[in-house]
Amino acid sequence: MPDPRFHLDDPITEGAQLRLGALDSRHVGTVLRLGIGASVRIFNARDGEWRADIDAKDRNGIGVRVRGLLRPARPSPDLDLLFAPVKRDATDLIVEKATELGVRRLRPIITMRTITETVRADRLAAITRGAAAQTERFDIPEILPAQPLAKALDGWDAKRPLVFADEAGDDANSAWGGEHGRAPPLLASLRDLRPQALAVLIGPEGGFDTSERRLLRALPHVIAVSLGPRILRAETAAIAALALVQAAWGDWS
Ligand code: SAH
């Protein structure tokens, strides 16, 4: 097992004496049960990943002494996930998996059919911290405040194409809008595209309203895509879309 890994906001330099955060300190004491002298890894997006030894364990938490640099930091792809908050467990899953899959920014988006409008930022932040530490990345995804869809689209940076996961067709009288007007597959749409930055948009349990789909499809920087002939749950759609985007455009290639 590699040494456990903890994120530290403080600058990390050789020989520095630093303190783990409160949650991490508790984890070291009660779950990992590490004592003085145990070797750990600490990291952040600026200074990279360092070896450190536990050199203090007291009421104020865990102190570490920084030894040497293990890996310089590498940035995550400039990839945003815009997602409609869904039920609590599913939202937690989206946030954890998006962190593992390398998303740089998480943007909760309130759409017409979004049923869960409250986003527990502290809870989601704890999930991203844990997943980032576990998944060996250097940065922790930023979580932006929840925003209505129209607001997010207002003043959108045209240099960041928005990959819109659109499951429906255009026929108002058929289930899922029928076959007519279905978006092309994601991989085909990304094949010739090499932007510096990208965003993915996933809808809520109930999907997007027709007016939202019309609005999105009319925008020049929006790329409507299909994730295949099955209707996926929002959390599955997020994971599938991010995997495809990472393989076609991001740092999996
Ligand atoms: N419209 C459905 C299901 C929505 S699925 C309903 O009314 O219940 C939730 C979200 O996942 C969708 O808004 C879409 O962004 C994404 N999604 C699911 N399956 C998809 C597919 N086959 N292609 C593209 N996006 C999909």
Side-chain angles (χ1 to χ4, degrees):
M1 272 284 272
D3 292 335
R5 209 166 170 267
F6 303 101
H7 184 267
L8 275 188
D9 292 321
D10 300 329
I12 308 173
T13 53
E14 181 129 24
Q17 227 170 348
L18 301 170
R19 288 221 157 246
L20 300 189
L23 279 181
D24 288 339
S25 288
R26 215 168 315 141
H27 188 62
V28 165
T30 60
V31 181
L32 302 172
R33 298 178 173 280
L34 300 175
I36 304 280
S39 177
V40 297
R41 292 176 293 161
I42 56 176
F43 71 98
N44 65 36
R46 197 180 42 237
D47 306 310
E49 178 179 277
W50 296 70
R51 180 179 305 291
D53 298 331
I54 294 179
D55 74 343
K57 207 176 168 183
D58 50 42
R59 247 189 295 143
N60 300 322
I62 300 288
V64 298
R65 164 84 69 176
V66 182
R67 297 300 175 198
L69 179 67
L70 291 168
R71 294 189 297 158
R74 195 182 48 216
S76 301
D78 195 351
L79 175 60
D80 292 2
L81 175 65
L82 282 71
F83 67 100
V86 282
K87 290 200 196 81
R88 196 178 81 172
D89 290 352
T91 299
D92 290 356
L93 189 76
I94 290 173
V95 166
E96 181 181 276
K97 299 310 165 201
T99 305
E100 290 180 44
L101 290 165
V103 164
R104 196 187 285 190
R105 252 168 254 101
L106 289 158
R107 302 185 55 181
I109 298 294
I110 310 302
T111 65
M112 289 171 74
R113 297 188 192 150
T114 300
I115 32 184
T116 318
E117 299 215 354
T118 44
V119 180
R120 288 275 309 273
D122 52 343
R123 179 189 171 84
L124 297 187
I127 292 172
T128 53
R129 281 181 77 90
Q134 188 257 327
T135 207
E136 307 271 329
R137 58 188 280 173
F138 296 94
D139 60 324
I140 296 178
E142 186 185 352
I143 304 172
L144 273 67
Q147 237 185 354
L149 177 64
K151 195 89 183 273
L153 295 175
D154 204 26
W156 186 268
D157 176 8
K159 291 198 286 299
R160 183 188 299 278
L162 177 58
V163 176
F164 158 42
D166 184 4
E167 78 282 9
D170 285 337
D171 180 358
N173 299 315
S174 310
W176 314 119
E179 286 305 316
H180 181 73
R182 288 269 168 116
L186 188 149
L187 278 186
S189 305
L190 283 193
R191 193 165 296 143
D192 300 316
L193 213 65
R194 287 288 167 270
Q196 286 294 311
L198 207 62
V200 170
L201 171 64
I202 305 290
E205 290 94 337
F208 289 97
D209 185 78
T210 314
S211 62
E212 291 173 323
R213 294 184 57 235
R214 211 176 294 131
L215 168 73
L216 282 158
R217 284 184 172 227
L219 294 172
H221 41 266
V222 169
I223 307 167
V225 301
S226 160
L227 297 169
R230 286 157 295 270
I231 303 297
L232 309 173
R233 284 176 169 237
E235 59 273 33
T236 317
I239 294 166
L242 291 173
L244 289 175
V245 162
Q246 279 288 47
W249 165 87
D251 62 10
W252 289 19
S253 44

